């Protein structure tokens, strides 16, 4: 028998009245098991949908739990069958679904399957969802102690997105809003995002009150301190804080909160309250909103951390990865600028100044816990104010910074002699702390900038970071000049003072003085010559480093011993700066002995573990001892021509080559490639090239990754030889290697010289997936790349695909990336990745970067199409957002912005950003205006429209001008709209339902009491009267008409879940109807 035949028999058996219940259960299980085949061949089964639905209704009306749950599973499985759900609702079988959902704890299987059915209905036919089901969901979502509360609330949120009008009619929006601050953390983000979705567009916003009452309700636990009492008060505050942060991380939330004075401004004013716990929680919310680390209690954030790196106590491989040399456009900077503007507009700096004054009351002795917490709050307020000043200085226009940075209120308090001296002292302390914190921020930024030019080999790894502290930089320069001109007598005295000439015991040497001499006076060729000819100073230092003595090489590799390798590298650098020093080093046994031990490692065939462990460069010793630092010294020598001559004399590279490809010694391969210097053309680059083609997959991957380090360090000639090696790696057999090479090439394309070199090699990237296509699109930014791609079919094919669908997919790609960065439930492998959202490549933006591409864009007519889409208000928000992104990318280049000026698009985008009714479209305009601000012509037009840019134009940020009189900013204003109230419709429906009259007066009395159950004031009395009636006259509760009319009231009035269960318990004997009774349901429940 075929599957079709078995399915046909199952349908017939299920619909037959003579079949037993167990047979029908087996038939339903067969239908579920074979549902894929059944749906695909539905027309061949010759099954009527209405007959099928009636048969399922009979199963839902039985007393058997297994039959009901099986019927629910069949409904969920076959929800996609054409006309199945409409027939189901026409027969009013949704009554049984609601009843299954309202059952007690002893029937959780019914409830779980009913929830799955409702979710399937929303997915396949959300426009058909009956009010009765939504009323049940609302009652379930309001019952916080119910086991299915969380699932019911999540489905209610989904229904609100699909059917906001119906949810509003049933009072579900109020339920969702009230749960935002009281729901569990795992579900809170879903609830808040649902609220923000409803606020986003006018089509759903009209069901929310225009005064912003919904957001005020959601945040009321923080603004109404008398609303929450008891032990759960702080827990509710923390939950509400999370809701506030989530709202502030979306355009809809940011605009709505800022536009209403009782929302964001009220949150700011909470900082002026006397409730310490509440103030602390709200203050943390602003830290989280700006993505700033919250200061740890007890730590002093105003004390500068000494990070001079002049002791080499930090291991080389403990350094963080180098940042990219070219900063890409970061959308988080744009959004942070908007958040800063909103917070400044709502008076957060003034509130922080007030908080810093009022809370700084702790003394040095007898400090209570409350005073200590107040002091910490004052410290946090100062830190947050410093962060806002720092962010505004880099992200906001100079006009805003000039007004903010002066801090007139704080400075007036610190300088006024008319104020209380204690108050003036607090203000002065806050100014001092702000200055110290600003210095610390500047120091850390200088250190990050230093890493971009850091050479990855040589003694520079241990020298103090230049640019971090200007005072120390000047002192170092003066000291260097003085020591360079040191007289011979002073030098000899200092050499004696080091104790190197007196003893060979390195533990008695003054290593810091040795370091000062090696980097100071010995850099003078005359003093170096004197030292080499008349003393054994350098000879003893190099003798200490020799492997044969096992003093240095036998030391454990820890921070304390890193000073020896630092000074050793400094000595090698100093010696190779002169011909005499190079000759001395060439004849010294240090490099020769290193070569001998390297050769021993290459020739070893001994498998005895004990003897293998005795080798200098065995795996264990390379891991645990200073023996590995000999490769660092070799790398120091490879950074100069004279050093390379020394290495060639002792044939070091001939010994490193087999080590870099030795089987089972990937650690040596990685150590060699990361230690050598590649600024000079020669054997180092040849050795790296061999590592890239090693038989070891791990070595090839590590070598490819090291090319990114070399790119970021700015190694000489990388566009010529580095790009060549990366292109070659694209053909590697291992996908991890090719993916890594493609990632490095994508980063290298930020540099125009590297991009031109890559275009010149014309690599075939089409087989590399989306990443390869995106990299090829970046070729269009150069005329040579346009010529290359125009000669193939890639340009025409890609233009066609972008016009058809890819431009429409772009907003979702960007918004998904932003959502992932803002969400607290998305895990990121690298902490640095969570700090930025880089713009994906946009085809039309790259195409418009050259004259040839701009001409093609205009000639194709695509640009005119996007202009028309942007201005057509009847189109969907997604279409218009896609057009806005296209216009913004076109306008980020000099050639593209001229196209925008010809169409007068910049004023239109500004108008759209300030008055559009869709907040997501308004946010897309904000990002697009930032792209346009990258060009001088664009900034001029933006300034005419009241949008200004920060001092650094490459950030790509444009913000609306802040009115000097403190009036509202247009970007944060909500256009007025008419609130579509659902209560009027509900009242009409309730009035028609309350007019239900039955022939029996007792039935009318029962219905009246059922209506009273919907009111919490009359509920208890009505419940008692109904219990009495059921006890005295149980026969009346056997009426099918009375039962159905009561169910009809459940669809109109809003009942709590216990009341709904009580109503069902009154008609317990009528819950399970006979098959013939099902025909009467639809006629009564209209």
């Amino acid at each position: 028998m075929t599957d079709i035949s078995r399915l046909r028999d199952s349908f017939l058996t299920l619909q037959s009245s003579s079949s037993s219940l167990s047979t029908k259960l087996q038939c339903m299980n067969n239908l579920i098991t074979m549902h894929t085949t059944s749906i695909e061949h539905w027309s061949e089964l010759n099954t009527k949908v209405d007959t099928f639905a009636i048969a399922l209704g009979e199963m839902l009306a039985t007393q058997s739990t297994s039959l009901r749950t099986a019927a629910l599973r069949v409904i969920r499985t076959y929800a996609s069958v054409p006309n199945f759900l409409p027939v189901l609702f026409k027969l009013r079988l949704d009554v049984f679904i609601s009843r299954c959902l309202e059952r007690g704890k002893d029937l959780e299987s019914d409830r779980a399957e009913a929830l799955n059915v409702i979710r399937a209905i929303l997915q396949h036919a959300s426009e058909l969802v009956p009010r009765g089901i939504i009323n049940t969901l609302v009652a379930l979502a309001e019952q916080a102690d119910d086991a299915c509360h969380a699932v019911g609330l999540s489905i209610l949120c989904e229904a609100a997105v699909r059917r906001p009008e119906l949810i509003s009619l049933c009072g579900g929006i109020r339920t969702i809003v009230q749960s935002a601050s009281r729901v569990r953390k795992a579900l809170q983000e879903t609830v808040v995002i649902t609220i923000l979705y409803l606020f986003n567009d006018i089509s759903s916003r009209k069901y929310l009150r225009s005064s912003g009452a919904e957001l005020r309700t959601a945040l009321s636990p923080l603004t109404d301190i008398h609303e929450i009492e008891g032990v759960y008060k702080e827990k509710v505050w923390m939950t509400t804080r999370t809701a506030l942060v989530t709202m502030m991380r979306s355009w809809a939330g940011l605009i709505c909160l800022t536009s209403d004075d009782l929302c964001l401004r009220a949150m700011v004013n909470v900082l002026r309250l006397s409730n310490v716990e509440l103030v602390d929680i709200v203050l943390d919310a602003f830290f989280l909103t700006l993505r700033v680390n919250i200061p740890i209690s007890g730590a002093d954030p105003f004390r500068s951390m000494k990070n001079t790196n002049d002791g080499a106590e930090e291991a080389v491989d403990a350094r963080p990865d180098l940042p990219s040399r070219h900063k890409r456009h970061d959308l988080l900077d744009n959004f942070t600028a908007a958040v800063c503007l909103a917070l400044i507009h709502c008076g957060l700096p003034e509130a922080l100044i007030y908080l810093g004054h009022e809370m700084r009351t702790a003394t040095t002795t007898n400090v209570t816990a409350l005073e200590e917490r107040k002091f910490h709050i004052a410290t946090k307020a100062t830190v947050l104010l410093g962060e806002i000043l720092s962010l505004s200085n880099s992200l906001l226009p100079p006009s805003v910074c000039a007004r903010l940075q002066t801090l007139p209120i704080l400075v007036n308090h610190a300088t006024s002699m008319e104020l209380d001296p204690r108050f003036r002292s607090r203000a002065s302390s806050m100014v001092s702390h702000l200055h110290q914190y600003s210095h610390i921020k500047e120091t850390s930024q200088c250190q990050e900038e230093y890493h971009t030019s850091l050479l990855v080999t040589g003694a520079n790894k241990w020298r103090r970071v230049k640019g971090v502290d200007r005072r120390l930089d000047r002192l170092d320069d003066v000291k260097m000049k003085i020591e360079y001109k040191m007289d011979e007598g002073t030098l000899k005295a200092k050499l004696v003072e080091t104790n190197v000439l007196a003893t060979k015991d390195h533990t008695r040497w003054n290593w810091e003085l040795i370091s000062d001499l090696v980097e100071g006076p010995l850099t003078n060729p005359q003093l170096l010559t004197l030292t080499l000819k008349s003393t054994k100073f350098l000879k003893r230092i190099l003798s200490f480093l020799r492997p044969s003595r096992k003093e240095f090489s036998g030391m454990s590799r820890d921070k304390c011993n890193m000073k020896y390798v630092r000074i050793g590298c400094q000595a090698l650098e100093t010696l190779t700066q002169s011909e005499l020093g190079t000759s001395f080093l060439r004849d010294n046994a240090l490099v020769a002995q290193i070569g001998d031990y390297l050769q021993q490692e290459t020739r070893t065939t001994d498998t005895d573990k004990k003897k293998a462990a005795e080798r200098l460069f065995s795996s264990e010793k390379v891991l645990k001892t200073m023996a590995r630092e000999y490769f660092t010294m070799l790398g120091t020598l490879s950074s100069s021509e004279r050093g390379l001559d020394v290495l060639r004399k002792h044939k070091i590279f001939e010994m490193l080559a087999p080590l870099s490809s030795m089987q089972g010694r990937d650690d040596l391969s990685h150590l060699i490639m990361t230690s050598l210097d590649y600024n000079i053309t020669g054997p180092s680059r040849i050795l790296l090239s061999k590592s890239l083609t090693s038989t070891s997959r791990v070595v090839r991957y590590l070598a490819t990754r090291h090319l990114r380090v070399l790119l970021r360090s700015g190694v000489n000639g990388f566009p010529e030889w580095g790009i060549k090696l990366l292109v070659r790696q694209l053909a590697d057999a291992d996908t991890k290697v090719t993916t890594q090479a493609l990632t490095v090439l994508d980063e290298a394309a930020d540099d125009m010289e590297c991009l031109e070199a890559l275009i010149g090699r014309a690599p075939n990237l089409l087989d590399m997936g989306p990443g390869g296509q995106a990299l090829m699109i970046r070729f269009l930014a150069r005329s040579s790349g346009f010529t290359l791609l125009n000669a193939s079919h890639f340009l025409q094919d890609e233009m066609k695909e972008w016009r058809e669908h890819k431009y429409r997919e772009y907003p979702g790609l960007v918004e998904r990336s932003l959502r992932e960065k803002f969400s607290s439930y998305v895990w990121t492998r690298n902490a640095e990745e969570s700090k930025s959202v880089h713009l994906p490549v946009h085809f039309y933006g790259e195409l418009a970067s050259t004259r040839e591409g701009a001409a093609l864009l205009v000639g194709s007519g695509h640009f005119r199409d996007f202009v028309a889409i942007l201005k057509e208000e009847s189109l969907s928000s997604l279409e218009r957002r896609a057009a806005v992104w296209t216009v913004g990318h076109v306008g980020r280049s000099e050639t593209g912005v001229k196209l925008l000026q010809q169409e007068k698009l910049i004023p239109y985008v500004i108008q759209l950003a300030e008055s559009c009714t869709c907040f997501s479209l308004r946010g897309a305009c904000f990002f697009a205006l930032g792209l346009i601000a990258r060009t001088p012509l664009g900034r001029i037009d933006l300034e005419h429209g009241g949008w200004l840019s920060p001092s650094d134009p490459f950030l790509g940020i444009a913000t609306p001008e802040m009115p000097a009189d403190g009036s509202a900013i247009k970007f944060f204003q909500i256009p007025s709209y008419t609130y579509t109230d659902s209560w009027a419709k509900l009242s009409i429906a309730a009035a028609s339902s309350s007019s239900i009259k039955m022939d029996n007066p007792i039935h009318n009395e029962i219905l009246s009491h059922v209506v009273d159950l919907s009111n919490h004031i009359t509920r208890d009395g009505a419940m008692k009267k109904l219990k009495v009636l059921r006890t005295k006259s149980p026969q009346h509760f056997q009426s099918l008409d009375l039962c159905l009319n009561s169910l009809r009231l459940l669809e109109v009035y809003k009942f709590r879940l216990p009341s709904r269960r009580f109503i069902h318990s009154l008609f317990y004997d009528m819950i399970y109807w006979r098959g013939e009774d099902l025909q009467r349901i639809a006629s009564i429940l209209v």
Side-chain angles (χ1 to χ4, degrees):
M1 181 181 292
T2 63
D3 292 344
I4 301 297
S5 301
R6 283 196 295 269
L7 284 169
R8 189 180 292 113
D9 291 345
S10 297
F11 279 114
L12 293 175
T13 304
L14 180 64
Q15 298 166 14
S16 174
S17 58
S18 60
S19 302
S20 64
L21 295 180
S22 60
T23 304
K24 291 186 176 182
L25 177 61
Q26 183 178 359
C27 291
M28 286 189 289
N29 290 333
N30 292 337
L31 293 178
I32 295 170
T33 304
M34 304 174 65
H35 73 279
T36 303
T37 305
S38 179
I39 295 174
E40 291 178 355
H41 302 86
W42 180 262
S43 59
E44 302 177 23
L45 296 175
N46 298 324
T47 300
K48 294 183 179 180
V49 176
D50 53 351
T51 308
F52 179 42
I54 291 175
L56 291 175
E58 293 178 1
M59 297 300 100
L60 290 173
T62 62
Q63 297 186 23
S64 173
T65 303
S66 58
L67 287 173
R68 291 197 306 270
T69 55
L72 289 171
R73 286 197 297 269
V74 172
I75 293 174
R76 172 176 57 86
T77 306
Y78 287 81
S80 60
V81 173
N83 296 324
F84 176 66
L85 290 179
V87 171
L88 199 74
F89 296 139
K90 184 178 180 181
L91 295 174
R92 295 311 310 268
L93 298 184
D94 56 280
V95 173
F96 299 101
I97 299 174
S98 297
R99 172 56 189 148
C100 289
L101 186 57
E102 294 167 352
R103 294 187 183 276
K105 298 180 181 180
D106 54 333
L107 293 172
E108 292 295 337
S109 58
D110 281 26
R111 306 183 72 194
E113 291 299 334
L115 289 169
N116 291 332
V117 169
I118 295 173
R119 182 159 281 167
I121 293 172
L122 290 173
Q123 181 180 356
H124 297 288
S126 59
E127 69 281 359
L128 301 177
V129 180
R131 271 183 55 187
I133 289 181
I134 300 301
N135 279 334
T136 304
L137 280 177
V138 172
L140 182 60
E142 291 180 348
Q143 197 68 25
D145 58 348
D146 193 274
C148 297
H149 160 73
V151 182
L153 182 58
S154 65
I155 297 177
L156 183 64
C157 291
E158 181 181 352
V161 172
R162 298 179 183 272
R163 294 287 307 278
E165 180 182 4
L166 179 60
I167 302 302
S168 174
L169 182 64
C170 298
I173 291 180
R174 176 174 175 269
T175 302
I176 294 174
V177 170
Q178 288 181 338
S179 64
S181 58
R182 292 169 173 82
V183 75
R184 289 182 295 179
K185 183 179 180 181
L187 187 59
Q188 185 181 37
E189 189 170 0
T190 301
V191 173
V192 175
I193 290 177
T194 301
I195 299 173
L196 298 176
Y197 176 85
L198 296 174
F199 267 107
N200 181 64
D201 194 79
I202 188 63
S203 60
S204 56
R205 194 187 314 137
K206 63 184 180 181
Y207 301 111
L208 303 170
R209 284 169 284 184
S210 57
S211 60
E214 276 75 13
L215 290 183
R216 285 184 234 150
T217 301
L219 301 177
S220 60
L222 294 179
T223 55
D224 187 0
I225 60 176
H226 302 292
E227 179 183 351
I228 308 297
E229 297 292 343
V231 294
Y232 298 104
K233 176 174 60 176
E234 192 163 348
K235 182 179 179 181
V236 175
W237 284 347
M238 293 292 290
T239 307
T240 310
R241 183 194 75 176
T242 306
L244 173 62
V245 174
T246 305
M247 291 178 186
M248 290 290 290
R249 289 178 172 178
S250 70
W251 286 117
L254 181 62
I255 293 173
C256 292
L257 290 173
T258 309
S259 65
D260 187 2
D261 288 341
L262 297 179
C263 286
L264 184 57
R265 194 177 293 272
M267 289 293 115
V268 172
N269 290 332
V270 168
L271 299 179
R272 301 176 183 270
L273 299 179
S274 58
N275 192 313
V276 177
E277 293 83 1
L278 180 60
V279 168
D280 199 7
I281 289 174
V282 174
L283 188 61
D284 288 348
F286 292 124
F287 272 98
L288 296 173
T289 300
L290 293 171
R291 298 178 296 115
V292 176
N293 295 328
I294 300 175
I296 302 174
S297 179
D300 187 1
F302 311 116
R303 180 173 298 176
S304 179
M305 297 179 61
K306 296 182 179 180
N307 190 11
T308 59
N309 291 351
D310 51 4
E313 278 77 14
E314 185 177 9
V316 180
D317 50 5
R319 277 190 181 275
D321 195 10
L322 299 179
S324 177
R325 294 172 62 85
H326 300 275
K327 182 175 174 56
R328 293 187 175 183
H329 190 103
D330 188 0
L331 293 181
L332 289 186
D333 286 343
N334 296 73
F335 193 83
T336 303
V339 172
C340 285
L341 193 67
L343 294 176
I344 294 171
H345 173 70
C346 292
L348 181 59
E350 292 79 7
L352 293 175
I353 292 173
Y354 172 85
L355 197 60
H357 287 171
E358 295 299 320
M359 292 292 181
R360 195 174 295 276
T361 58
T363 59
T364 56
T365 58
N366 300 325
V367 179
T368 64
L370 179 61
E371 290 176 337
E372 185 177 354
R373 187 167 187 178
K374 285 184 177 182
F375 187 83
H376 182 54
I377 291 175
T379 301
K380 288 164 62 175
T382 307
V383 170
L384 184 58
L385 181 59
E387 289 288 348
I388 291 177
L389 294 176
S390 176
L391 289 172
S392 63
N393 185 49
S394 58
L395 302 180
L396 295 182
S399 59
V400 177
C401 298
R403 193 184 318 165
L404 178 65
Q405 298 285 343
T406 55
L407 297 175
I409 297 177
L410 180 60
V411 174
N412 181 56
H413 291 169
T415 57
S416 177
M417 303 303 295
E418 299 177 357
L419 298 175
D420 188 326
R422 291 173 296 181
F423 191 79
R424 185 170 63 249
S425 175
R426 296 174 193 169
S428 299
S429 298
M430 195 171 187
V431 172
S432 176
H433 288 156
L434 285 173
H435 175 72
Q436 294 172 8
Y437 192 75
S438 175
H439 177 72
I440 295 173
K441 292 282 292 183
E442 183 182 358
T443 299
S444 62
Q445 291 175 0
C446 290
Q447 185 172 350
E448 291 178 1
E449 292 174 0
Y450 165 79
H451 282 300
T452 61
S453 60
L454 176 68
L455 296 177
V456 294
T457 58
N460 280 330
K461 291 180 178 180
W462 297 280
R463 292 194 176 102
R464 191 184 62 79
V465 177
K466 293 290 186 181
V468 174
D469 194 315
R470 297 176 183 176
R471 182 182 62 84
L472 292 179
D473 288 346
R474 289 193 296 268
L475 290 176
D476 285 346
D477 293 339
V478 173
K479 181 181 178 182
M480 187 67 67
K481 292 179 181 178
I482 294 175
E483 291 180 343
Y484 187 84
K485 299 179 180 180
M486 184 181 294
D487 60 272
E488 295 181 2
T490 305
L491 174 62
K492 290 180 180 180
K494 285 187 175 292
L495 291 175
V496 172
E497 188 179 348
T498 61
N499 224 22
V500 174
L501 303 178
T503 178
K504 294 182 179 181
D505 185 2
H506 70 277
T507 60
R508 298 172 59 186
W509 295 352
N510 188 341
W511 284 98
E512 292 307 316
L513 181 56
I514 294 174
S515 177
D516 292 341
L517 291 174
V518 170
E519 282 208 300
L522 294 186
T523 56
N524 187 328
Q526 296 179 355
L527 297 180
L528 177 62
T529 301
L530 174 65
T531 304
L532 289 174
K533 291 183 177 181
S534 61
T535 69
K536 295 182 178 181
F537 178 74
L538 289 171
K539 182 178 179 180
R540 287 193 174 178
I541 292 176
L542 297 185
S543 177
F544 159 72
L545 297 174
R546 289 177 188 173
S548 60
R549 298 192 59 175
K550 297 184 180 180
E551 290 182 312
F552 171 76
S553 60
M555 293 179 178
S556 61
R557 187 171 182 269
D558 53 33
K559 292 182 179 180
C560 296
N561 294 329
M562 291 305 296
K563 62 183 178 182
Y564 302 123
V565 65
R566 167 174 63 94
I567 296 173
C569 289
Q570 292 171 350
L572 294 177
E573 269 193 358
T574 301
L575 288 171
T576 54
Q577 288 176 2
S578 67
E579 190 63 39
L580 179 61
T582 304
S583 177
F584 171 80
L585 184 60
R586 191 183 295 116
D587 297 334
N588 191 273
L590 173 62
V591 180
Q593 287 188 12
I594 295 175
D596 292 339
Y597 280 97
L598 291 174
Q599 190 174 27
Q600 178 185 353
E601 193 67 29
T602 59
R603 293 178 178 178
T604 181
T605 57
D606 191 358
T607 59
D608 183 51
K609 293 184 178 179
K610 184 177 180 180
K611 292 184 178 180
E614 293 177 356
R615 298 195 308 270
L616 180 65
F617 297 114
S618 63
S619 299
E620 184 178 0
K621 288 190 175 181
V622 167
L623 179 64
K624 298 181 179 180
T625 69
M626 298 296 289
R628 70 178 288 141
E629 299 305 331
Y630 286 121
F631 292 97
T632 305
M633 297 179 190
L634 296 179
T636 302
L637 293 175
S638 68
S639 63
S640 64
E641 291 288 358
R642 292 191 177 99
L644 286 172
D645 290 340
V646 175
L647 295 177
R648 290 191 186 98
K649 178 182 182 298
H650 296 285
K651 300 181 180 180
I652 297 298
F653 287 101
E654 296 178 9
M655 303 168 192
L656 291 178
L659 284 177
S660 63
S661 58
M662 181 180 292
Q663 293 290 335
R665 294 304 306 272
D666 295 346
D667 58 333
L668 283 182
S669 301
H670 184 246
L671 191 56
I672 291 170
M673 75 176 69
T674 55
S675 298
L676 294 178
D677 187 275
Y678 300 93
N679 284 287
I680 301 175
T681 304
S684 296
R685 296 179 184 177
I686 297 174
L687 203 59
L688 178 61
S689 178
K690 291 182 179 180
S691 297
L692 290 168
T693 57
S694 171
T695 56
S696 172
R697 176 180 59 87
V698 176
V699 172
R700 297 200 309 274
Y701 175 79
L702 294 176
T704 307
R705 191 176 67 174
H706 188 61
L707 286 173
R708 182 179 64 178
V709 178
L710 298 178
L711 168 68
R712 293 182 174 183
S713 65
V715 67
N716 292 336
F718 189 86
E720 290 77 22
W721 64 273
I723 297 297
K724 176 183 177 181
L725 295 178
L726 286 169
V727 171
R728 191 179 68 181
Q729 290 304 98
L730 295 175
D732 194 277
D734 189 80
T735 55
K736 288 187 176 181
V737 175
T738 57
T739 303
Q740 182 66 31
L742 187 64
T743 303
V744 180
L745 283 173
D746 181 65
E747 183 176 328
D750 294 336
D751 183 87
M752 290 298 104
E753 190 176 353
C754 290
L755 181 58
E756 286 286 0
L758 180 59
I759 294 171
R761 298 198 170 273
N764 183 16
L765 302 175
L766 293 178
D767 298 333
M768 301 298 296
Q773 292 182 356
L775 185 55
M776 288 191 70
I777 291 175
R778 298 189 65 180
F779 289 3
L780 296 173
R782 309 297 295 174
S783 297
S784 57
F786 178 86
T787 304
L788 174 66
L789 298 182
N790 195 33
S792 63
H793 296 289
F794 176 81
L795 182 57
Q796 289 72 21
D797 295 344
E798 200 68 20
M799 177 176 280
K800 181 180 178 181
E801 290 185 8
W802 272 83
R803 180 60 187 90
E804 290 178 353
H805 61 89
K806 284 189 175 181
Y807 88 96
R808 197 181 296 110
E809 299 169 358
Y810 190 86
L813 184 63
V814 174
E815 292 162 9
R816 194 179 308 114
S817 299
L818 283 169
R819 186 71 259 158
E820 289 177 355
K821 297 305 178 190
F822 286 142
S823 176
S824 58
Y825 301 100
V826 178
W827 178 81
T828 53
R829 182 181 300 273
N830 187 355
E832 294 297 323
E833 293 179 359
S834 62
K835 297 181 180 180
S836 59
V837 175
H838 297 144
L839 269 178
V841 175
H842 198 288
F843 173 80
Y844 291 105
E846 303 296 331
L847 184 64
S849 298
T850 61
R851 293 182 180 179
E852 302 90 340
L856 177 62
L857 178 60
V858 174
S860 64
H862 290 188
F863 186 68
R864 289 192 298 272
D865 294 343
F866 290 124
V867 173
I869 292 173
L870 179 61
K871 295 184 177 181
E872 182 55 56
E873 298 182 0
S874 61
L875 293 177
S876 66
S877 170
L878 177 61
E879 287 279 352
R880 300 186 74 191
R881 293 204 307 274
V884 166
W885 277 111
T886 303
V887 168
H889 275 282
V890 170
R892 69 182 176 85
S893 60
E894 293 291 345
T895 53
V897 74
K898 294 178 181 178
L899 299 180
L900 270 60
Q901 290 177 332
Q902 293 174 5
E903 298 289 340
K904 298 181 180 180
L905 280 180
I906 297 179
Y908 181 79
V909 176
I910 291 176
Q911 178 187 358
L912 203 62
E914 295 178 344
S915 60
C916 181
T917 58
C918 179
F919 297 147
S920 59
L921 179 56
R922 193 182 290 194
C925 292
F926 189 93
F927 289 131
L929 292 174
L931 290 172
I932 296 172
R934 293 175 67 93
T935 62
L937 291 177
R939 288 194 294 275
I940 293 174
D941 286 355
L942 289 173
E943 189 173 352
H944 291 162
W947 284 65
L948 306 176
S949 301
S951 302
D952 185 1
F954 295 102
L955 289 175
I957 298 175
T959 57
E961 187 175 5
M962 182 181 291
D965 57 358
S967 58
I969 302 174
K970 291 183 179 179
F971 179 77
F972 295 116
Q973 286 183 311
I974 301 179
S976 59
Y977 62 92
T978 303
Y979 170 49
T980 304
D981 195 353
S982 61
W983 290 106
K985 297 180 181 179
L986 189 62
S987 300
I988 295 174
S992 62
S993 299
S994 62
S995 62
I996 298 175
K997 299 297 181 181
M998 302 187 69
D999 296 335
N1000 193 322
I1002 297 181
H1003 290 184
N1004 290 328
E1005 182 183 359
I1006 292 174
L1007 292 177
S1008 175
H1009 293 324
V1010 169
V1011 171
D1012 290 341
L1013 289 175
S1014 64
N1015 190 322
H1016 69 280
I1017 298 177
T1018 61
R1019 181 178 57 217
D1020 294 340
M1023 190 175 295
K1024 292 179 181 179
K1025 293 177 182 178
L1026 286 171
K1027 288 180 179 178
V1028 171
L1029 284 173
R1030 197 181 193 290
T1031 303
K1032 291 182 177 180
S1033 306
Q1035 69 277 6
H1036 293 294
F1037 292 90
Q1038 304 292 325
S1039 171
L1040 177 62
D1041 292 344
L1042 177 61
C1043 177
L1044 293 177
N1045 281 319
S1046 299
L1047 296 180
R1048 182 180 175 186
L1049 293 175
L1050 288 178
E1051 296 181 351
V1052 177
Y1053 291 94
K1054 187 175 180 179
F1055 293 87
R1056 301 293 300 272
L1057 188 59
S1059 299
R1060 302 177 76 90
R1061 288 173 175 167
F1062 176 75
I1063 294 173
H1064 285 297
S1065 67
L1066 294 175
F1067 302 96
Y1068 180 80
D1069 296 334
M1070 297 303 303
I1071 292 175
Y1072 310 110
W1073 292 312
R1074 300 177 302 275
E1076 55 269 19
D1077 292 335
L1078 296 176
Q1079 306 295 332
R1080 300 180 56 191
I1081 298 178
S1083 61
I1084 297 179
L1085 296 178
V1086 293

